[in-house]
Amino acid sequence: MSGEEHPELLGVPGSQAGTQGDAGEGDAGRREGCWMCHRGCARVSIPPGDFPGFVPTFQIDKYLYDMRLSEETLQEVSQRFGKEMEKGLGADTNPTASVKMLPTFVRSTPDGTEDGDFLALDLGGTNFRVLRVKVSDNGLQKVEMENQIYAIPEELMRGSGVQLFDHIAECLANFLDKLNIKDKKLPLGFTFSFPCHQTKLDESILVTWTKGFKCSSVEGKDVVSMLRKSIKKRGDFDIDIVAVVNDTVGTMMTCGYDDHNCEVGLIVGTGTNACYMEEMRHIDLVEGDEGRMCINMEWGAFGDDGVLKDIRTEFDHEIDMGSLNPGKQLFEKMISGMYMGELVRLILVKMAKEGLLFGGRLTPDLLTTGHFETRYISAIEKEKEGLQKAHEILTKLGLEPSHEDCVATLRICQIVSTRSANLCGATLAAVLRRIKDNKGVERLRSTVGVDGSVYKKHPHFARRLHKTVRKLLPDCEIRFVRSEDGSGKGAAMVTAVAYRLAAQHKARQKILEALKLSHEQLLEVKQRMRIEMEKGLGKETHAEAAVKMLPTYVCSTPDGTEKGDFLALDLGGTNFRVLLVRVRNGMRRGVEMHNKIYSIPVEIMQGTGEELFDHIVHCISDFLEYMGMKGVSLPLGFTFSFPCQQTSLDEGILLKWTKGFKATGCEGEDVVNLLKEAIHRREEFDLDVVAVVNDTVGTMMTCGYEDPYCEVGLIVGTGSNACYMEEMRNVELVEGEEGRMCINMEWGAFGDNGCLDDIRTEFDLAVDELSLNPGKQRFEKMISGMYLGEIVRNILIDFTKRGLLFRGRISERLKTRGIFETKFLSQIESDCLALLQVRSILQHLGLESTCDDSIIVKEVCAVVARRAAQLCGAGMAAVVDKIRENRGLDFLKVTVGVDGTLYKLHPHFSTVMHETVKQLSPKCEVTFLQSEDGSGKGAALITAVACRIREAGQR
């Protein structure tokens, strides 16, 4: 026979050593001809009968048909495993799940900034290692390791737990002695590679021994405390056990240090297992929905509930029955190194008994459990010397193998190892598919960290595994990284990450502490606001008061008898509205509105006053045309949401621009006059401007139409302000003692005199410094929508500079002022928004973030928004208490009309603010009513009230 035509006969397995196809694609499509290669060989066509006592490879394929799994079967196995994962994660289904999906309390993978000196213990087999791992980050990631391997005698593996841990403590003492570091209390990570139930990072209860261990009195106990007891008993050294991890987790962490995409760990060695980073929201067994946690799957038990019975063969059953743990770890028994050689041995025995191999001869060695080792499979499947190795191994077992027996043994090894790789690939594909779905990405790019003798030493296992994963997940780019330093380094990495996270958390909390206000501080803010209110109302103190407490000349809220058609203008930000408001009374009491929104370009906001008011009049003209009312002269209410000094209802002197407006020639001028002049310049229509009001007053009037108790208005949107009905006797700037008048507080300027300096942070100062009006509107800059995003951005930059966020890398986008809009705060803090969406918001901002980064950004947003809501609540508490005291009441029932995007759209702002008012003003029952129609309707209602009063006065 030709060696060219049959390379396997020269010891080169050729195409037979490959993926699933290498183990035979089934009988269909085979060409008649050569019994050896079933490829329709050109030169040879010898029938099998010419070689008595030998089974050709295609007959082995048939004999082991149940071990050769089709792609459809693998897809089915993958789907079944996905369902088992779900069961393990669910609180209700976990008790009966075979795949336990154990939380590890490892919440983060390395980011490359870890630093320090750590110890690691690695216990997972007959040998165990002690390591010293030095991790340094001085711009260059560097890991230095020293380790020592210690044996665990068989009598200890089956002795008492106390003896085992005493032995470990003794080896640890020996190691510390050798390195002369017994006096140092170093942090230690403990890789303990057995099924454990973890309740904390440093507490792990052994569920069941595997891998031949049978130590008494350990199952059901915390292995960390057992190790601590053994160390304490010695008394000659002390260590800080920070984390206990599984070898699979250790592998993921080791590889994660070099590849930050690594979020899966896989071991295929003596045993097999996998772990991966799961979203916290899916882990029912652990409280909290934020972030991710590594799940130790314990996938060796897949099938223990019978879900794999249709693919388990007679050989799998035989192995299980002869094992130390019948009925347990059934998946592991199909794929791991501890059982692979035994599978081959059982097949060889059965075929020999049937006279199909070795001339029907059996030997005591071949009949002895464990005598065909898994490493033999790797040796036999090696290219070139494979058949020679088969001959050596079979001879060592007392057999006299023919060349054909060796080829058949090679084929059996291929089928067994290929099935192992394919099953492993199918379950791994389920894990990666889950990560892909969790992330909601079209194409997943991820890395799997791998360790284990089968994966590393078998000549084709890794390639077959990769090929199966690629076949089952064509829409994923998966990289496999070998863990070169074993799982021990991983335990040190988990410890290093835990130390880094703790140190970073402490540093971040220290910075955020300044933004967290105590009850006493909020009470102080309330009292200071009250003092500033009194100053603004007083004739003597008004001039230097920061909170101006401006009279609005609105002396009455709606009583329900108002009627007529009114125009309203609403100018208070980058958009501006024109409205037609029809007010009806009597049986048909209600308000009907038509409006149109117009934008104000930045160049007009910061141009001249004439340009601004000409633009406004142009928009009014467009609206009247749109409504078909060009010739009609209607009473008009003008909501003008900037600080104004009013001397009457229809005259408002602009004191200063806010909210980014800078139009020249307006400050110190009557805005009603500026509007009238622009109307005259256009010469198209005439309007009766009855009232100029602030948006806050408009909001109060709108809500007052619905609720007679409404005597306070509040806006928390782009800017912030409040107004309320004050007793005329206290309004010293206006003559008269009778009745009440609405006071436009202009509370955004609270603190401009320095009275809030003790609670302003470096971030507030930075935002103020770079604003259009440094030193002005300080309270507004701490609570309103225009500035909260900027405060957050400044904190994020500070965190990043300190290496506490985004791995210390500041993107150009993050340096851009205004990039972090306040709407992002509302979106990021939304309870229904998973961290995945937070990451996509950050991505939209050009910020490449990890899951941990997203949690930190969310926390910063929460702290900044909470402070804003509390400060707003403290200001409001001062207002309602003043109204109560004005009226000499023990208890006040009052309604606050509220508008503004921050109040309305932020998921927690209103709740926190309400709580704060309740805590700081216990003698007031405050109801908050949202103004649904904006402040424009309020301007029309003030106009309607003014017209009602005017008409009443004319009668």
Side-chain angles (χ1 to χ4, degrees), residues 602-841:
V602 176
E603 59 272 20
I604 286 178
M605 281 169 70
Q606 299 182 4
T608 68
E610 269 196 16
E611 286 167 346
L612 175 63
F613 282 92
D614 284 349
H615 177 71
I616 290 168
V617 171
H618 168 74
C619 296
I620 298 171
S621 172
D622 175 81
F623 179 75
L624 290 173
E625 204 166 310
Y626 169 72
M627 293 299 297
M629 300 179 74
K630 219 31 188 303
V632 186
S633 178
L634 292 173
L636 178 139
F638 185 10
T639 302
F640 188 74
S641 310
F642 301 92
C644 282
Q645 174 84 58
Q646 282 191 260
T647 46
S648 64
L649 188 59
D650 63 351
E651 184 180 291
I653 312 292
L654 174 65
L655 296 178
K656 60 183 172 185
W657 282 119
T658 55
K659 304 177 204 174
F661 276 75
K662 280 273 186 183
T664 56
C666 299
E667 289 180 356
E669 298 295 325
D670 173 16
V671 292
V672 175
N673 216 27
L674 293 173
L675 179 63
K676 282 178 175 170
E677 281 172 9
I679 291 170
H680 292 148
R681 274 198 299 278
R682 194 165 178 94
E683 295 181 345
E684 264 186 36
F685 52 84
D686 202 13
L687 295 169
D688 173 18
V689 184
V690 173
V692 58
V693 297
N694 173 284
D695 56 347
T696 324
V697 182
T699 295
M700 181 188 78
M701 294 298 269
T702 302
C703 294
Y705 189 73
E706 309 295 331
D707 181 343
Y709 282 105
C710 184
E711 299 185 76
V712 184
L714 170 68
I715 302 265
V716 204
T718 316
S720 181
N721 194 13
C723 69
Y724 71 103
M725 297 302 287
E726 178 58 89
E727 305 300 313
M728 276 296 290
R729 67 178 184 274
N730 296 333
V731 185
E732 293 182 11
L733 298 178
V734 180
E735 282 187 16
E737 301 284 309
E738 292 299 307
R740 293 172 187 150
M741 182 180 283
C742 179
I743 293 294
N744 164 22
M745 295 175 68
E746 288 301 336
W747 82 358
F750 176 39
D752 287 7
N753 58 357
C755 70
L756 293 179
D757 284 2
D758 57 333
I759 62 161
R760 286 173 81 220
T761 66
E762 58 184 292
F763 309 111
D764 297 307
L765 299 175
V767 168
D768 180 35
E769 212 173 291
L770 291 171
S771 66
L772 288 167
N773 53 349
K776 308 282 183 196
Q777 300 294 103
R778 290 181 183 180
F779 188 57
E780 180 170 84
K781 284 170 187 167
M782 294 167 87
I783 67 172
S784 82
M786 192 164 183
Y787 303 98
L788 295 193
E790 263 305 281
I791 295 172
V792 168
R793 188 184 70 86
N794 275 281
I795 296 170
L796 299 186
I797 285 177
D798 185 73
F799 278 8
T800 311
K801 279 181 181 169
R802 294 171 192 263
L804 305 174
L805 186 66
F806 302 135
R807 292 188 180 137
R809 297 179 201 134
I810 299 182
S811 70
E812 283 307 310
R813 296 269 292 181
L814 192 58
K815 291 180 190 168
T816 312
R817 276 187 63 231
I819 190 76
F820 207 98
E821 295 171 50
T822 298
K823 68 173 179 183
F824 293 139
L825 263 83
S826 299
Q827 288 170 3
I828 284 169
E829 275 205 76
S830 171
D831 292 329
C832 61
L833 208 65
L835 284 175
L836 184 62
Q837 286 143 303
V838 175
R839 281 179 80 174
S840 73
I841 290 169

Side-chain angles (χ1 to χ4, degrees), residues 332-347:
E332 181 167 86
K333 286 168 187 169
M334 294 169 84
I335 69 171
S336 82
M338 193 165 183
Y339 304 97
M340 213 187 282
E342 190 57 15
L343 270 171
V344 172
R345 188 189 71 80
L346 290 174
I347 295 164

Side-chain angles (χ1 to χ4, degrees), residues 571-585:
L571 174 66
T574 48
N575 287 335
F576 131 84
R577 288 194 305 157
V578 186
L579 306 92
L580 172 66
V581 182
R582 295 200 156 111
V583 183
R584 301 281 173 261
N585 65 4

Side-chain angles (χ1 to χ4, degrees), residues 39 228 237 263 289 350 412 454 500 539 640 643 833 878 955:
R39 285 179 298 195
R228 280 184 180 138
F237 69 93
E263 50 194 339
D289 289 331
K350 186 168 190 251
I412 292 163
V454 174
R500 168 176 64 79
K539 205 170 195 173
F640 188 74
L833 208 65
R955 278 188 205 128

Side-chain angles (χ1 to χ4, degrees), residues 908-955:
H908 308 300
F909 189 96
S910 57
T911 313
V912 174
M913 190 188 95
H914 300 170
E915 279 170 7
T916 308
V917 174
K918 204 172 179 179
Q919 284 165 6
L920 302 181
S921 294
K923 292 181 180 177
C924 299
E925 185 190 313
V926 185
T927 305
F928 291 86
L929 181 62
Q930 278 198 34
S931 158
E932 294 307 327
D933 312 303
S935 52
K937 175 177 165 185
L941 283 168
I942 290 167
T943 306
V945 169
C947 289
R948 164 173 65 84
I949 292 166
R950 193 162 63 183
E951 282 165 22
Q954 285 167 359
R955 278 188 205 128

